[in-house]
Amino acid sequence: MAYKLDIAPALPDAQNEEVGASKFCPGCGHGMVLKSLAFAIDDLGIKQKTVFGVDIGCCLLAWNYLDVDTVQNHHGRTTPVIYGVTRANPEAIGIAYMGDGGGLAIGAQHLVNAAVRGERMLIVLVNNTNYGMTGGQMAPTTLPGQVTETTPYGRDCDATGRPAKGAEMIAAIANPEKSYVARATISNMRKLRSTFKKALETVDKGGFAFVEVLSVCPLNWRTNNVDTWARLQQMEEYFEVKEFVSGSEGQNG
Amino acid sequence: MATMEYQGYKIENIAKGKMDYYVYTELCKGCGLCLAKCPINAKGEKCLSWSKEVGIYQTPAVEPDPALCIGCGTCALICPDSAIRLEKKA
């Protein structure tokens, strides 16, 4: 039987300890992404001036996950709310946390315009190739041939187009001197943490940062633990994992 | 901040007796991602396996074999809910 342990789990300081187990499904990638983000906030010591915005979708279950100021927004409108906060309060470091639906479908316009204007914020887009909260429908990022609730015979690229590549799109339009654009994956947690750290440093200097994270959704993919990692590997072959723009080095913003 | 109390179990003397392994049953959801990522040794054996203990959703938690575990910390690194902690002995 379980008994009381003498030491606490190794939680980051920026994570809300009182919540206990998070509300995400077993095996959800959001826990890993948020853990890395919280460790990156700890590394830079910016917990007190961070504003965290969560979108509609599975990511809204993160509303009390972090021990930072959090605001929850309409679907796709996290980006404008957070750059409104950072424009009004130049001290604040804004983080907009969204899924692939909120970032590349309904919120695509805000994402594009924030990148063009180079708003002072970090956008974290968690890509799990479907709409998780509503039951696993096809999303803009669904892989060709992938079976979802609304594509029972696999995604047909002739009828529904090719998967949206968010990081490539933002890399093409963001200011190369003041932006940080990267794609990371939860299969490499150390790299994910350092990617968030670089992105937050860019924002701290006054730049724009966009990090797309390849994540997993075992419940809606209907995969077990081994197949989940195999599916993530397929995603890494399709979506290239690298830094696209890292132009903030040596700049003062 | 209120001091939290954590329920769980402890497996002592992993990694040739240099570390302790803590599993927090209030946090473990039994997803098994750690089991898939646990590295195999030259004989193809994994140190992690399902435990008799249950996590928060009454699904099995995990436990390492103290003789095989090398204390690499991959399971603790990828656990989405921070339910595993490896601690060096003082």
Side-chain angles (χ1 to χ4, degrees), chain A residues 1-5 7-9 11 17-18 20-22 24 26-28 31-32 35 65 189-190 225 229, chain B residues 1 5-8 10 22 24-27 29 31-33 36 53 76-82 85:
Chain A
M1 270 310 284
Y3 44 87
K4 187 173 163 271
L5 289 176
I7 60 170
L11 297 179
E17 190 189 14
E18 291 168 19
S22 64
F24 300 115
C28 181
M32 294 182 234
K35 191 167 85 164
Y65 194 95
M189 292 285 285
R190 289 189 179 89
N225 52 358
W229 291 115
Chain B
M1 185 177 281
E5 288 191 354
Y6 287 95
Q7 297 285 320
K10 177 179 175 183
Y22 296 83
Y24 300 89
T25 49
E26 286 172 336
L27 298 179
K29 293 173 180 168
C31 64
L33 293 182
E53 303 280 347
L77 187 71
I78 62 148
C79 181
D81 294 283
S82 312
R85 177 167 184 171

mmCIF file of all heavy atoms in Angstrom, chain A residues 1-5 7-9 11 17-18 20-22 24 26-28 31-32 35 65 189-190 225 229, chain B residues 1 5-8 10 22 24-27 29 31-33 36 53 76-82 85:
data_model
loop_
_atom_site.group_PDB
_atom_site.id
_atom_site.type_symbol
_atom_site.label_atom_id
_atom_site.label_comp_id
_atom_site.label_asym_id
_atom_site.label_seq_id
_atom_site.Cartn_x
_atom_site.Cartn_y
_atom_site.Cartn_z
ATOM 1 N N MET A 1 0.837 -1.209 0.000
ATOM 2 C CA MET A 1 0.000 0.000 0.000
ATOM 3 C C MET A 1 0.867 1.252 0.000
ATOM 4 O O MET A 1 1.983 1.260 0.486
ATOM 5 C CB MET A 1 -0.865 0.017 1.258
ATOM 6 C CG MET A 1 -2.210 -0.652 1.117
ATOM 7 S SD MET A 1 -3.148 -0.108 -0.325
ATOM 8 C CE MET A 1 -3.731 1.485 0.183
ATOM 9 N N ALA A 2 0.262 2.296 -0.539
ATOM 10 C CA ALA A 2 0.971 3.577 -0.563
ATOM 11 C C ALA A 2 1.010 4.163 0.844
ATOM 12 O O ALA A 2 0.093 3.946 1.629
ATOM 13 C CB ALA A 2 0.261 4.543 -1.500
ATOM 14 N N TYR A 3 2.055 4.854 1.152
ATOM 15 C CA TYR A 3 2.201 5.489 2.459
ATOM 16 C C TYR A 3 2.741 6.889 2.235
ATOM 17 O O TYR A 3 3.042 7.273 1.105
ATOM 18 C CB TYR A 3 3.148 4.677 3.355
ATOM 19 C CG TYR A 3 4.394 4.202 2.648
ATOM 20 C CD1 TYR A 3 5.521 5.013 2.579
ATOM 21 C CD2 TYR A 3 4.437 2.952 2.021
ATOM 22 C CE1 TYR A 3 6.651 4.593 1.915
ATOM 23 C CE2 TYR A 3 5.572 2.527 1.358
ATOM 24 C CZ TYR A 3 6.675 3.358 1.306
ATOM 25 O OH TYR A 3 7.787 2.944 0.645
ATOM 26 N N LYS A 4 2.842 7.650 3.310
ATOM 27 C CA LYS A 4 3.278 9.041 3.180
ATOM 28 C C LYS A 4 4.788 9.076 2.923
ATOM 29 O O LYS A 4 5.548 8.413 3.616
ATOM 30 C CB LYS A 4 2.947 9.778 4.474
ATOM 31 C CG LYS A 4 3.197 11.247 4.403
ATOM 32 C CD LYS A 4 2.680 11.931 5.654
ATOM 33 C CE LYS A 4 3.282 13.302 5.786
ATOM 34 N NZ LYS A 4 4.544 13.361 6.509
ATOM 35 N N LEU A 5 5.182 9.852 1.923
ATOM 36 C CA LEU A 5 6.598 9.956 1.578
ATOM 37 C C LEU A 5 7.195 11.203 2.222
ATOM 38 O O LEU A 5 6.507 12.190 2.454
ATOM 39 C CB LEU A 5 6.765 10.028 0.060
ATOM 40 C CG LEU A 5 6.465 8.729 -0.681
ATOM 41 C CD1 LEU A 5 6.570 8.943 -2.168
ATOM 42 C CD2 LEU A 5 7.426 7.633 -0.262
ATOM 43 N N ILE A 7 9.687 13.147 0.983
ATOM 44 C CA ILE A 7 10.048 14.275 0.121
ATOM 45 C C ILE A 7 8.976 14.468 -0.945
ATOM 46 O O ILE A 7 8.284 13.538 -1.329
ATOM 47 C CB ILE A 7 11.441 14.120 -0.534
ATOM 48 C CG1 ILE A 7 11.502 12.883 -1.401
ATOM 49 C CG2 ILE A 7 12.530 14.127 0.505
ATOM 50 C CD1 ILE A 7 12.742 12.828 -2.239
ATOM 51 N N ALA A 8 8.874 15.718 -1.415
ATOM 52 C CA ALA A 8 7.848 16.091 -2.394
ATOM 53 C C ALA A 8 8.342 15.769 -3.793
ATOM 54 O O ALA A 8 9.543 15.617 -4.011
ATOM 55 C CB ALA A 8 7.550 17.575 -2.259
ATOM 56 N N PRO A 9 7.434 15.670 -4.774
ATOM 57 C CA PRO A 9 7.889 15.453 -6.149
ATOM 58 C C PRO A 9 8.726 16.620 -6.660
ATOM 59 O O PRO A 9 8.623 17.728 -6.152
ATOM 60 C CB PRO A 9 6.592 15.327 -6.955
ATOM 61 C CG PRO A 9 5.489 15.532 -6.035
ATOM 62 C CD PRO A 9 5.988 15.691 -4.664
ATOM 63 N N LEU A 11 8.828 19.130 -8.563
ATOM 64 C CA LEU A 11 8.048 20.051 -9.388
ATOM 65 C C LEU A 11 8.825 21.347 -9.578
ATOM 66 O O LEU A 11 9.533 21.775 -8.674
ATOM 67 C CB LEU A 11 6.717 20.370 -8.706
ATOM 68 C CG LEU A 11 5.747 19.221 -8.483
ATOM 69 C CD1 LEU A 11 4.504 19.737 -7.788
ATOM 70 C CD2 LEU A 11 5.373 18.578 -9.784
ATOM 71 N N GLU A 17 1.638 23.748 -7.044
ATOM 72 C CA GLU A 17 1.764 22.477 -6.343
ATOM 73 C C GLU A 17 0.429 21.997 -5.778
ATOM 74 O O GLU A 17 0.186 20.804 -5.640
ATOM 75 C CB GLU A 17 2.778 22.662 -5.211
ATOM 76 C CG GLU A 17 3.204 21.401 -4.524
ATOM 77 C CD GLU A 17 4.032 21.698 -3.297
ATOM 78 O OE1 GLU A 17 4.061 22.851 -2.840
ATOM 79 O OE2 GLU A 17 4.638 20.754 -2.785
ATOM 80 N N GLU A 18 -0.456 22.943 -5.470
ATOM 81 C CA GLU A 18 -1.673 22.583 -4.748
ATOM 82 C C GLU A 18 -2.708 21.880 -5.612
ATOM 83 O O GLU A 18 -3.687 21.350 -5.100
ATOM 84 C CB GLU A 18 -2.284 23.840 -4.125
ATOM 85 C CG GLU A 18 -1.423 24.376 -3.008
ATOM 86 C CD GLU A 18 -1.842 25.770 -2.573
ATOM 87 O OE1 GLU A 18 -2.972 26.150 -2.867
ATOM 88 O OE2 GLU A 18 -1.007 26.445 -1.963
ATOM 89 N N GLY A 20 -2.336 19.196 -7.395
ATOM 90 C CA GLY A 20 -2.238 17.739 -7.410
ATOM 91 C C GLY A 20 -2.118 17.250 -8.832
ATOM 92 O O GLY A 20 -1.500 17.891 -9.669
ATOM 93 N N ALA A 21 -2.749 16.129 -9.139
ATOM 94 C CA ALA A 21 -2.696 15.608 -10.496
ATOM 95 C C ALA A 21 -3.433 16.554 -11.431
ATOM 96 O O ALA A 21 -4.504 17.047 -11.102
ATOM 97 C CB ALA A 21 -3.319 14.225 -10.551
ATOM 98 N N SER A 22 -2.852 16.799 -12.610
ATOM 99 C CA SER A 22 -3.473 17.718 -13.562
ATOM 100 C C SER A 22 -4.713 17.067 -14.154
ATOM 101 O O SER A 22 -4.963 15.877 -13.980
ATOM 102 C CB SER A 22 -2.482 18.059 -14.663
ATOM 103 O OG SER A 22 -2.161 16.904 -15.393
ATOM 104 N N PHE A 24 -5.429 16.655 -17.284
ATOM 105 C CA PHE A 24 -5.225 16.067 -18.607
ATOM 106 C C PHE A 24 -5.408 14.548 -18.552
ATOM 107 O O PHE A 24 -5.279 13.924 -17.512
ATOM 108 C CB PHE A 24 -3.824 16.400 -19.118
ATOM 109 C CG PHE A 24 -3.576 17.871 -19.241
ATOM 110 C CD1 PHE A 24 -2.641 18.497 -18.456
ATOM 111 C CD2 PHE A 24 -4.294 18.631 -20.144
ATOM 112 C CE1 PHE A 24 -2.419 19.850 -18.558
ATOM 113 C CE2 PHE A 24 -4.080 19.986 -20.256
ATOM 114 C CZ PHE A 24 -3.140 20.604 -19.460
ATOM 115 N N PRO A 26 -4.557 10.549 -19.154
ATOM 116 C CA PRO A 26 -3.314 9.811 -18.981
ATOM 117 C C PRO A 26 -2.492 9.814 -20.268
ATOM 118 O O PRO A 26 -3.022 9.533 -21.342
ATOM 119 C CB PRO A 26 -3.773 8.395 -18.632
ATOM 120 C CG PRO A 26 -5.136 8.561 -18.106
ATOM 121 C CD PRO A 26 -5.725 9.745 -18.801
ATOM 122 N N GLY A 27 -1.234 10.187 -20.166
ATOM 123 C CA GLY A 27 -0.353 10.177 -21.327
ATOM 124 C C GLY A 27 -0.406 11.415 -22.169
ATOM 125 O O GLY A 27 0.215 11.457 -23.228
ATOM 126 N N CYS A 28 -1.136 12.446 -21.740
ATOM 127 C CA CYS A 28 -1.243 13.654 -22.560
ATOM 128 C C CYS A 28 0.088 14.388 -22.605
ATOM 129 O O CYS A 28 0.808 14.467 -21.606
ATOM 130 C CB CYS A 28 -2.305 14.574 -21.984
ATOM 131 S SG CYS A 28 -2.521 16.069 -22.931
ATOM 132 N N GLY A 31 1.160 17.870 -20.265
ATOM 133 C CA GLY A 31 1.891 17.854 -19.006
ATOM 134 C C GLY A 31 3.377 18.032 -19.213
ATOM 135 O O GLY A 31 4.037 18.767 -18.488
ATOM 136 N N MET A 32 3.914 17.371 -20.249
ATOM 137 C CA MET A 32 5.355 17.479 -20.511
ATOM 138 C C MET A 32 5.719 18.864 -21.015
ATOM 139 O O MET A 32 6.740 19.429 -20.628
ATOM 140 C CB MET A 32 5.760 16.439 -21.547
ATOM 141 C CG MET A 32 5.620 15.023 -21.052
ATOM 142 S SD MET A 32 6.168 13.870 -22.299
ATOM 143 C CE MET A 32 4.748 12.848 -22.427
ATOM 144 N N LYS A 35 5.459 21.317 -18.104
ATOM 145 C CA LYS A 35 6.544 21.101 -17.152
ATOM 146 C C LYS A 35 7.827 21.752 -17.660
ATOM 147 O O LYS A 35 8.512 22.456 -16.912
ATOM 148 C CB LYS A 35 6.730 19.584 -16.971
ATOM 149 C CG LYS A 35 7.627 19.192 -15.843
ATOM 150 C CD LYS A 35 7.496 17.719 -15.532
ATOM 151 C CE LYS A 35 8.366 16.881 -16.410
ATOM 152 N NZ LYS A 35 8.559 15.513 -15.903
ATOM 153 N N TYR A 65 -2.578 25.335 -13.810
ATOM 154 C CA TYR A 65 -1.413 24.450 -13.760
ATOM 155 C C TYR A 65 -0.175 25.213 -13.302
ATOM 156 O O TYR A 65 0.616 24.713 -12.520
ATOM 157 C CB TYR A 65 -1.188 23.860 -15.153
ATOM 158 C CG TYR A 65 -0.254 22.682 -15.199
ATOM 159 C CD1 TYR A 65 -0.751 21.391 -15.170
ATOM 160 C CD2 TYR A 65 1.112 22.853 -15.281
ATOM 161 C CE1 TYR A 65 0.085 20.305 -15.213
ATOM 162 C CE2 TYR A 65 1.963 21.766 -15.326
ATOM 163 C CZ TYR A 65 1.433 20.501 -15.292
ATOM 164 O OH TYR A 65 2.277 19.433 -15.320
ATOM 165 N N MET A 189 13.052 16.067 -24.192
ATOM 166 C CA MET A 189 12.618 17.031 -23.187
ATOM 167 C C MET A 189 13.691 18.051 -22.836
ATOM 168 O O MET A 189 13.384 19.189 -22.517
ATOM 169 C CB MET A 189 12.205 16.279 -21.919
ATOM 170 C CG MET A 189 10.963 15.460 -22.085
ATOM 171 S SD MET A 189 9.506 16.468 -22.114
ATOM 172 C CE MET A 189 9.356 16.899 -20.400
ATOM 173 N N ARG A 190 14.960 17.640 -22.902
ATOM 174 C CA ARG A 190 16.024 18.608 -22.567
ATOM 175 C C ARG A 190 16.095 19.693 -23.619
ATOM 176 O O ARG A 190 16.264 20.872 -23.313
ATOM 177 C CB ARG A 190 17.359 17.883 -22.433
ATOM 178 C CG ARG A 190 17.433 17.025 -21.190
ATOM 179 C CD ARG A 190 18.811 16.476 -20.954
ATOM 180 N NE ARG A 190 18.829 15.682 -19.738
ATOM 181 C CZ ARG A 190 18.558 14.385 -19.707
ATOM 182 N NH1 ARG A 190 18.266 13.740 -20.821
ATOM 183 N NH2 ARG A 190 18.578 13.734 -18.566
ATOM 184 N N ASN A 225 1.019 2.782 -25.185
ATOM 185 C CA ASN A 225 2.196 3.593 -24.898
ATOM 186 C C ASN A 225 3.272 3.470 -25.981
ATOM 187 O O ASN A 225 3.882 4.455 -26.384
ATOM 188 C CB ASN A 225 2.752 3.241 -23.514
ATOM 189 C CG ASN A 225 2.981 1.766 -23.325
ATOM 190 O OD1 ASN A 225 2.695 0.972 -24.211
ATOM 191 N ND2 ASN A 225 3.486 1.382 -22.182
ATOM 192 N N TRP A 229 4.535 6.621 -29.026
ATOM 193 C CA TRP A 229 5.869 7.141 -29.373
ATOM 194 C C TRP A 229 6.167 6.894 -30.849
ATOM 195 O O TRP A 229 6.820 7.721 -31.498
ATOM 196 C CB TRP A 229 6.950 6.510 -28.503
ATOM 197 C CG TRP A 229 6.908 6.933 -27.070
ATOM 198 C CD1 TRP A 229 6.654 6.141 -26.006
ATOM 199 C CD2 TRP A 229 7.114 8.258 -26.543
ATOM 200 N NE1 TRP A 229 6.693 6.879 -24.846
ATOM 201 C CE2 TRP A 229 6.979 8.173 -25.144
ATOM 202 C CE3 TRP A 229 7.408 9.493 -27.112
ATOM 203 C CZ2 TRP A 229 7.120 9.275 -24.311
ATOM 204 C CZ3 TRP A 229 7.548 10.587 -26.278
ATOM 205 C CH2 TRP A 229 7.406 10.475 -24.900
ATOM 206 N N MET B 1 2.880 29.196 1.407
ATOM 207 C CA MET B 1 2.206 28.074 0.736
ATOM 208 C C MET B 1 2.071 26.891 1.699
ATOM 209 O O MET B 1 2.966 26.605 2.479
ATOM 210 C CB MET B 1 3.020 27.665 -0.500
ATOM 211 C CG MET B 1 2.342 26.590 -1.315
ATOM 212 S SD MET B 1 3.281 26.193 -2.790
ATOM 213 C CE MET B 1 2.847 27.541 -3.854
ATOM 214 N N GLU B 5 1.294 17.029 1.656
ATOM 215 C CA GLU B 5 1.705 15.674 2.004
ATOM 216 C C GLU B 5 1.465 14.788 0.801
ATOM 217 O O GLU B 5 0.421 14.879 0.161
ATOM 218 C CB GLU B 5 0.884 15.164 3.193
ATOM 219 C CG GLU B 5 1.249 15.828 4.492
ATOM 220 C CD GLU B 5 0.627 15.123 5.671
ATOM 221 O OE1 GLU B 5 -0.173 14.195 5.441
ATOM 222 O OE2 GLU B 5 0.941 15.497 6.797
ATOM 223 N N TYR B 6 2.423 13.970 0.497
ATOM 224 C CA TYR B 6 2.320 13.140 -0.688
ATOM 225 C C TYR B 6 2.312 11.669 -0.330
ATOM 226 O O TYR B 6 3.125 11.207 0.457
ATOM 227 C CB TYR B 6 3.483 13.440 -1.641
ATOM 228 C CG TYR B 6 3.326 14.755 -2.335
ATOM 229 C CD1 TYR B 6 3.921 15.898 -1.840
ATOM 230 C CD2 TYR B 6 2.535 14.856 -3.473
ATOM 231 C CE1 TYR B 6 3.753 17.118 -2.473
ATOM 232 C CE2 TYR B 6 2.355 16.067 -4.107
ATOM 233 C CZ TYR B 6 2.971 17.188 -3.612
ATOM 234 O OH TYR B 6 2.791 18.388 -4.237
ATOM 235 N N GLN B 7 1.363 10.959 -0.927
ATOM 236 C CA GLN B 7 1.269 9.512 -0.754
ATOM 237 C C GLN B 7 2.048 8.831 -1.876
ATOM 238 O O GLN B 7 2.076 9.336 -2.998
ATOM 239 C CB GLN B 7 -0.188 9.070 -0.823
ATOM 240 C CG GLN B 7 -1.069 9.637 0.269
ATOM 241 C CD GLN B 7 -0.834 8.969 1.596
ATOM 242 O OE1 GLN B 7 -0.645 7.763 1.655
ATOM 243 N NE2 GLN B 7 -0.817 9.760 2.664
ATOM 244 N N GLY B 8 2.629 7.705 -1.575
ATOM 245 C CA GLY B 8 3.345 6.989 -2.615
ATOM 246 C C GLY B 8 4.139 5.857 -2.018
ATOM 247 O O GLY B 8 3.859 5.415 -0.908
ATOM 248 N N LYS B 10 8.302 3.939 -2.017
ATOM 249 C CA LYS B 10 9.712 4.221 -2.245
ATOM 250 C C LYS B 10 10.408 2.892 -2.487
ATOM 251 O O LYS B 10 10.126 1.911 -1.786
ATOM 252 C CB LYS B 10 10.254 4.890 -0.974
ATOM 253 C CG LYS B 10 11.721 5.205 -0.948
ATOM 254 C CD LYS B 10 11.990 5.880 0.399
ATOM 255 C CE LYS B 10 13.444 6.140 0.622
ATOM 256 N NZ LYS B 10 13.686 6.723 1.947
ATOM 257 N N TYR B 22 11.255 7.185 -6.004
ATOM 258 C CA TYR B 22 9.972 7.553 -5.384
ATOM 259 C C TYR B 22 8.888 7.568 -6.457
ATOM 260 O O TYR B 22 9.086 8.133 -7.526
ATOM 261 C CB TYR B 22 10.047 8.943 -4.764
ATOM 262 C CG TYR B 22 11.017 9.067 -3.618
ATOM 263 C CD1 TYR B 22 12.369 9.273 -3.863
ATOM 264 C CD2 TYR B 22 10.591 8.986 -2.299
ATOM 265 C CE1 TYR B 22 13.272 9.389 -2.818
ATOM 266 C CE2 TYR B 22 11.483 9.115 -1.248
ATOM 267 C CZ TYR B 22 12.822 9.321 -1.514
ATOM 268 O OH TYR B 22 13.704 9.429 -0.492
ATOM 269 N N TYR B 24 4.804 8.670 -6.764
ATOM 270 C CA TYR B 24 3.706 9.348 -6.071
ATOM 271 C C TYR B 24 2.393 8.849 -6.657
ATOM 272 O O TYR B 24 2.046 9.155 -7.791
ATOM 273 C CB TYR B 24 3.842 10.866 -6.225
ATOM 274 C CG TYR B 24 5.138 11.370 -5.652
ATOM 275 C CD1 TYR B 24 6.288 11.431 -6.428
ATOM 276 C CD2 TYR B 24 5.217 11.738 -4.319
ATOM 277 C CE1 TYR B 24 7.488 11.860 -5.890
ATOM 278 C CE2 TYR B 24 6.415 12.173 -3.775
ATOM 279 C CZ TYR B 24 7.536 12.231 -4.563
ATOM 280 O OH TYR B 24 8.723 12.652 -4.031
ATOM 281 N N THR B 25 1.689 8.045 -5.887
ATOM 282 C CA THR B 25 0.472 7.413 -6.422
ATOM 283 C C THR B 25 -0.658 8.420 -6.623
ATOM 284 O O THR B 25 -1.595 8.154 -7.361
ATOM 285 C CB THR B 25 -0.009 6.303 -5.482
ATOM 286 O OG1 THR B 25 -0.033 6.818 -4.162
ATOM 287 C CG2 THR B 25 0.884 5.112 -5.554
ATOM 288 N N GLU B 26 -0.601 9.596 -5.955
ATOM 289 C CA GLU B 26 -1.623 10.613 -6.192
ATOM 290 C C GLU B 26 -1.417 11.308 -7.526
ATOM 291 O O GLU B 26 -2.289 12.036 -7.979
ATOM 292 C CB GLU B 26 -1.584 11.662 -5.080
ATOM 293 C CG GLU B 26 -2.162 11.171 -3.788
ATOM 294 C CD GLU B 26 -1.921 12.154 -2.669
ATOM 295 O OE1 GLU B 26 -0.972 12.945 -2.763
ATOM 296 O OE2 GLU B 26 -2.678 12.107 -1.697
ATOM 297 N N LEU B 27 -0.260 11.153 -8.140
ATOM 298 C CA LEU B 27 0.015 11.832 -9.407
ATOM 299 C C LEU B 27 0.043 10.870 -10.587
ATOM 300 O O LEU B 27 -0.253 11.262 -11.710
ATOM 301 C CB LEU B 27 1.368 12.563 -9.327
ATOM 302 C CG LEU B 27 1.472 13.665 -8.267
ATOM 303 C CD1 LEU B 27 2.866 14.273 -8.276
ATOM 304 C CD2 LEU B 27 0.462 14.767 -8.524
ATOM 305 N N LYS B 29 -0.931 8.480 -13.388
ATOM 306 C CA LYS B 29 -2.184 8.153 -14.074
ATOM 307 C C LYS B 29 -2.093 6.847 -14.836
ATOM 308 O O LYS B 29 -3.035 6.482 -15.535
ATOM 309 C CB LYS B 29 -2.547 9.279 -15.034
ATOM 310 C CG LYS B 29 -2.894 10.574 -14.347
ATOM 311 C CD LYS B 29 -3.081 11.664 -15.365
ATOM 312 C CE LYS B 29 -3.441 12.964 -14.684
ATOM 313 N NZ LYS B 29 -3.342 14.088 -15.607
ATOM 314 N N CYS B 31 -0.223 6.011 -17.524
ATOM 315 C CA CYS B 31 -0.207 6.116 -18.992
ATOM 316 C C CYS B 31 0.805 5.157 -19.613
ATOM 317 O O CYS B 31 0.630 4.730 -20.753
ATOM 318 C CB CYS B 31 0.097 7.544 -19.421
ATOM 319 S SG CYS B 31 1.721 8.169 -18.958
ATOM 320 N N GLY B 32 1.873 4.828 -18.899
ATOM 321 C CA GLY B 32 2.842 3.867 -19.410
ATOM 322 C C GLY B 32 3.858 4.436 -20.372
ATOM 323 O O GLY B 32 4.630 3.682 -20.957
ATOM 324 N N LEU B 33 3.901 5.760 -20.544
ATOM 325 C CA LEU B 33 4.894 6.338 -21.456
ATOM 326 C C LEU B 33 6.319 6.078 -20.953
ATOM 327 O O LEU B 33 7.237 5.896 -21.742
ATOM 328 C CB LEU B 33 4.667 7.842 -21.616
ATOM 329 C CG LEU B 33 3.378 8.271 -22.325
ATOM 330 C CD1 LEU B 33 3.329 9.777 -22.440
ATOM 331 C CD2 LEU B 33 3.286 7.668 -23.699
ATOM 332 N N ALA B 36 7.565 2.636 -22.027
ATOM 333 C CA ALA B 36 7.996 2.546 -23.414
ATOM 334 C C ALA B 36 9.356 3.189 -23.612
ATOM 335 O O ALA B 36 10.118 2.784 -24.490
ATOM 336 C CB ALA B 36 6.967 3.215 -24.327
ATOM 337 N N GLU B 53 0.896 -1.694 -7.019
ATOM 338 C CA GLU B 53 0.301 -0.452 -6.519
ATOM 339 C C GLU B 53 -0.504 0.214 -7.631
ATOM 340 O O GLU B 53 -0.217 0.023 -8.808
ATOM 341 C CB GLU B 53 1.408 0.511 -6.079
ATOM 342 C CG GLU B 53 2.336 -0.043 -5.032
ATOM 343 C CD GLU B 53 1.737 0.028 -3.643
ATOM 344 O OE1 GLU B 53 0.721 0.723 -3.478
ATOM 345 O OE2 GLU B 53 2.282 -0.601 -2.736
ATOM 346 N N ALA B 76 11.615 9.784 -15.076
ATOM 347 C CA ALA B 76 11.268 10.985 -14.329
ATOM 348 C C ALA B 76 11.231 12.197 -15.245
ATOM 349 O O ALA B 76 10.430 13.111 -15.059
ATOM 350 C CB ALA B 76 12.276 11.208 -13.208
ATOM 351 N N LEU B 77 12.101 12.204 -16.269
ATOM 352 C CA LEU B 77 12.160 13.353 -17.189
ATOM 353 C C LEU B 77 10.896 13.453 -18.016
ATOM 354 O O LEU B 77 10.359 14.534 -18.218
ATOM 355 C CB LEU B 77 13.385 13.196 -18.096
ATOM 356 C CG LEU B 77 13.712 14.357 -19.013
ATOM 357 C CD1 LEU B 77 14.234 15.525 -18.205
ATOM 358 C CD2 LEU B 77 14.734 13.949 -20.037
ATOM 359 N N ILE B 78 10.398 12.309 -18.527
ATOM 360 C CA ILE B 78 9.268 12.400 -19.446
ATOM 361 C C ILE B 78 7.920 12.260 -18.742
ATOM 362 O O ILE B 78 6.911 12.471 -19.379
ATOM 363 C CB ILE B 78 9.357 11.340 -20.559
ATOM 364 C CG1 ILE B 78 9.321 9.946 -19.967
ATOM 365 C CG2 ILE B 78 10.529 11.553 -21.461
ATOM 366 C CD1 ILE B 78 8.659 8.983 -20.884
ATOM 367 N N CYS B 79 7.881 11.918 -17.475
ATOM 368 C CA CYS B 79 6.577 11.738 -16.820
ATOM 369 C C CYS B 79 5.763 13.025 -16.912
ATOM 370 O O CYS B 79 6.189 14.061 -16.421
ATOM 371 C CB CYS B 79 6.742 11.349 -15.356
ATOM 372 S SG CYS B 79 5.154 11.111 -14.550
ATOM 373 N N PRO B 80 4.579 13.005 -17.548
ATOM 374 C CA PRO B 80 3.819 14.245 -17.723
ATOM 375 C C PRO B 80 3.337 14.833 -16.405
ATOM 376 O O PRO B 80 3.038 16.010 -16.342
ATOM 377 C CB PRO B 80 2.625 13.828 -18.583
ATOM 378 C CG PRO B 80 2.969 12.519 -19.152
ATOM 379 C CD PRO B 80 3.900 11.874 -18.199
ATOM 380 N N ASP B 81 3.235 14.036 -15.372
ATOM 381 C CA ASP B 81 2.684 14.524 -14.117
ATOM 382 C C ASP B 81 3.693 14.513 -12.972
ATOM 383 O O ASP B 81 3.297 14.588 -11.823
ATOM 384 C CB ASP B 81 1.458 13.689 -13.750
ATOM 385 C CG ASP B 81 0.343 13.902 -14.743
ATOM 386 O OD1 ASP B 81 -0.308 14.932 -14.653
ATOM 387 O OD2 ASP B 81 0.174 13.063 -15.636
ATOM 388 N N SER B 82 4.972 14.403 -13.301
ATOM 389 C CA SER B 82 6.045 14.458 -12.304
ATOM 390 C C SER B 82 5.822 13.456 -11.180
ATOM 391 O O SER B 82 6.059 13.744 -10.016
ATOM 392 C CB SER B 82 6.189 15.862 -11.703
ATOM 393 O OG SER B 82 6.223 16.824 -12.705
ATOM 394 N N ARG B 85 10.350 10.402 -8.974
ATOM 395 C CA ARG B 85 11.506 11.191 -8.561
ATOM 396 C C ARG B 85 12.639 10.247 -8.195
ATOM 397 O O ARG B 85 12.431 9.282 -7.465
ATOM 398 C CB ARG B 85 11.166 12.070 -7.365
ATOM 399 C CG ARG B 85 12.341 12.856 -6.854
ATOM 400 C CD ARG B 85 11.932 13.944 -5.888
ATOM 401 N NE ARG B 85 13.100 14.703 -5.517
ATOM 402 C CZ ARG B 85 13.065 15.824 -4.821
ATOM 403 N NH1 ARG B 85 11.923 16.297 -4.407
ATOM 404 N NH2 ARG B 85 14.165 16.460 -4.509
#
